[in-house]
Amino acid sequence: MYGIIDCDNCYVSCERVFRPDLKDKPVVVLSNNDGCVVARSNEAKQLGIKAGTPYYQLDELFPNQKIAVFSSNYELYGELTGRVVNIIRQEAPAYFRYSIDECFVYFDRFADNDLKAWGERLHKKIRQYVGIPVSIGLAPTKTLAKAASYFAKRYAGYRHCCLIDTEEKRRKALSLFPIDEVWGIGRRYAARLQSMGIQTAYDFAQKEASWVRATFNNIVIFRTWQELNSIDSVPNEAMAKKKSICTSRSFNGMVTDFEQLRTHVANYAARCAEKLRQQDTVASLVAVFLHTNAFREDLPQYWNMEEQRLIVPSSSTADIVGAATDVLRRIFIQGFHYKKAGVIVMGIGPNSPIQADLFDFNAEQFQKMRRLDAVVDRINRLNGSETVVIGSQQYTQKDGRGRANVFANAIKHDFKSKNPTTRWSDIIKLV
């Protein structure tokens, strides 16, 4: 049996942990640079606020509504959801984290009757220890477990835990489950299935295997069909480690200066390196892309992307940032107004063993960089994200009096909450 623990309205729930006054009130969390709504409380959804609504339109679309607005605070979200995972680690025989707000668990010898009670106890413990509500789905496959969590989230009668353990429950659940909500069925395939008269997961599961293969010729779709029919098909390792990692953001305004652009790219590359180390992998390819604002037809347009191969695959911040900077120098053209850039690391594999360079490889230096990255990761984990950064992650700009100011983060977050669990400067004070 598999289970999935899904944090309800994750970003909003994290913001509410230290703001109990926001209970039962509409809350939204914005994307990077405070662009648009990416997370909504149930109360905000009931008002009609859609995901992707631009922030500047909220007052116009919802006048006289008191909506609590927050900038994205991934440091807070990552730390609190990490606490949730620590509890799951203690309570489940086996687990693997799927995303920031979802974690799969696996049961080998649990009696089915015990699973429902286990899920309800786990929900209560996480709510008591961390303050975040979760929904738990339990079923013979991961896709069915995702469907079960859908019902656990929406119907109070399940007491936050839904168990699909019989054929009757499977048929009933899938007949009520919209095809466009099925894990593994993207928007394009969902529209195609709906055009064929397939409206529910049960409609799809009833099709013959030969029809699924001939119609789609897609291994992911076929595995989804198998999973809906209680055939365990999605491999754990395929979900646990990413095959490529991308970090990109739109800028607050437009950037024309190379040094400022380099700082953005260095920060994105450092984040990619950190993610590689988190999953114990290394990358052999580093790509950088940048482009102008396509909506500014009054300005010249430019888009480009190039990649650079690392002779020795690496997860070192210095290596990844250095390669990204080299690529940026090749594709940057002075005179354009850039709106977005990003870094992609590819060719990802395990961090041991690593194929070294026969002609230019210093094993001592390689191990030294690994130890350095480990120390920096630990400092940033204990004292807050970006407590320690490399020099290229900052840029210097002079003010009107010729004084140099250093900027480490050029992302707009006017409504960002504090980080009382990771930064001493933000610790809660009782008066």
Side-chain angles (χ1 to χ4, degrees):
M1 292 288 287
Y2 288 95
I4 186 167
I5 296 89
D6 184 5
C7 298
D8 297 342
N9 302 324
C10 179
Y11 295 173
V12 169
S13 296
C14 289
E15 297 290 354
R16 280 176 165 171
V17 168
F18 300 103
R19 290 289 305 275
D21 58 303
L22 296 178
K23 182 181 179 181
D24 300 326
K25 295 181 180 179
V27 181
V28 299
V29 176
L30 304 177
S31 62
N32 290 310
N33 290 319
D34 295 342
C36 61
V37 174
V38 293
R40 305 157 291 159
S41 66
N42 291 333
E43 297 77 14
K45 295 176 183 177
Q46 291 169 3
L47 285 178
I49 300 176
K50 304 294 185 182
T53 301
Y55 165 67
Y56 71 88
Q57 292 183 359
L58 286 179
D59 288 340
E60 177 184 346
L61 296 174
F62 306 96
N64 304 319
Q65 295 290 343
K66 294 183 178 179
I67 303 171
V69 178
F70 292 92
S71 302
S72 296
N73 187 347
Y74 298 112
E75 182 178 337
L76 176 68
Y77 310 152
E79 203 279 331
L80 291 181
T81 55
R83 296 186 179 200
V84 173
V85 174
N86 284 335
I87 294 175
I88 295 171
R89 181 188 294 116
Q90 297 167 11
E91 298 294 329
Y95 81 99
F96 47 95
R97 191 169 186 174
Y98 177 60
S99 66
I100 188 173
D101 62 341
E102 294 176 302
C103 188
F104 278 100
V105 294
Y106 175 71
F107 303 92
D108 189 15
R109 297 182 178 85
F110 248 70
D112 287 354
N113 291 336
D114 293 334
L115 280 177
K116 183 72 164 68
W118 174 88
E120 293 179 11
R121 288 196 304 271
L122 179 63
H123 167 266
K124 291 179 181 178
K125 184 173 182 178
I126 292 174
R127 190 62 188 266
Q128 179 183 359
Y129 284 35
V130 185
I132 294 178
V134 298
S135 296
I136 302 170
L138 301 162
T141 69
K142 303 176 189 69
T143 303
L144 286 175
K146 290 277 286 186
S149 71
Y150 172 90
F151 295 105
K153 191 184 296 286
R154 286 162 176 79
Y155 299 99
Y158 287 110
R159 297 193 295 274
H160 307 281
C161 179
C162 176
L163 172 65
I164 299 176
D165 58 345
T166 66
E167 180 63 15
E168 180 183 358
K169 289 182 181 179
R170 184 189 73 87
R171 291 173 179 267
K172 183 177 180 181
L174 295 187
S175 65
L176 298 172
F177 197 41
I179 189 64
D180 56 356
E181 293 285 347
V182 176
W183 184 49
I185 303 291
R187 184 181 305 174
R188 181 165 59 91
Y189 284 112
R192 185 177 173 186
L193 288 166
Q194 289 168 342
S195 70
M196 299 174 180
I198 299 174
Q199 302 299 324
T200 67
Y202 185 69
D203 295 336
F204 181 54
Q206 286 295 97
K207 294 294 184 180
E208 295 292 333
S210 58
W211 180 88
V212 177
R213 287 184 181 275
T215 304
F216 295 98
N217 192 28
N218 184 298
I219 186 61
V220 175
I221 298 297
F222 183 70
R223 282 176 175 171
T224 299
W225 176 86
Q226 288 181 309
E227 292 252 325
L228 292 175
N229 285 287
S230 299
I231 303 171
D232 187 11
S233 302
V234 177
N236 295 346
E237 61 272 12
M239 301 189 314
K241 298 185 186 300
K242 298 179 179 179
K243 302 303 181 183
S244 65
I245 296 173
C246 176
T247 302
S248 65
R249 294 189 183 98
S250 296
F251 306 136
N252 178 25
M254 289 184 284
V255 177
T256 58
D257 178 62
F258 174 80
E259 289 301 317
Q260 187 175 350
L261 187 61
R262 179 187 59 80
T263 301
H264 286 289
V265 169
N267 277 287
Y268 305 158
R271 181 61 181 141
C272 287
E274 183 182 354
K275 290 180 179 179
L276 285 170
R277 294 194 294 273
Q278 288 173 354
Q279 63 176 26
D280 297 322
T281 55
V282 292
S284 58
L285 283 173
V286 179
V288 177
F289 67 87
L290 76 166
H291 61 76
T292 53
N293 189 344
F295 296 100
R296 289 294 303 272
E297 297 180 357
D298 58 317
L299 296 174
Q301 300 296 313
Y302 174 71
W303 186 96
N304 202 352
M305 173 178 172
E306 283 193 19
E307 62 186 39
Q308 180 165 308
R309 179 171 293 277
L310 300 177
I311 297 176
V312 179
S314 177
S315 62
S316 167
T317 297
D319 291 341
I320 303 297
V321 170
T325 302
D326 290 342
V327 176
L328 178 64
R329 287 195 178 96
R330 295 200 299 268
I331 64 176
F332 174 81
I333 297 179
Q334 191 70 44
F336 288 99
H337 294 72
Y338 296 100
K339 183 60 179 176
K340 186 175 183 178
V343 176
I344 308 172
V345 291
M346 299 170 287
I348 294 177
N351 64 359
S352 179
I354 293 177
Q355 180 64 51
D357 180 9
L358 178 63
F359 301 104
D360 184 20
F361 181 73
N362 187 324
E364 182 179 352
Q365 180 67 17
F366 181 80
Q367 293 300 326
K368 183 184 296 184
M369 294 304 297
R370 277 198 166 182
R371 292 194 298 271
L372 176 62
D373 285 324
V375 171
V376 171
D377 288 343
R378 184 173 184 274
I379 292 173
N380 289 337
R381 185 170 60 250
L382 294 175
N383 297 280
S385 177
E386 296 182 350
T387 298
V388 177
V389 298
I390 63 176
S392 60
Q393 289 181 250
Q394 299 180 331
Y395 69 92
T396 302
Q397 192 177 74
K398 293 185 178 181
D399 60 18
R401 299 181 180 179
R403 296 175 300 186
N405 295 322
V406 175
F407 299 83
N409 193 339
I411 300 174
K412 181 180 179 182
H413 41 63
D414 293 342
F415 312 103
K416 186 178 179 181
S417 55
K418 293 186 176 182
N419 297 285
T421 61
T422 55
R423 295 180 181 268
W424 285 110
S425 59
D426 293 344
I427 196 167
I428 293 175
K429 299 177 182 178
L430 299 179
V431 180

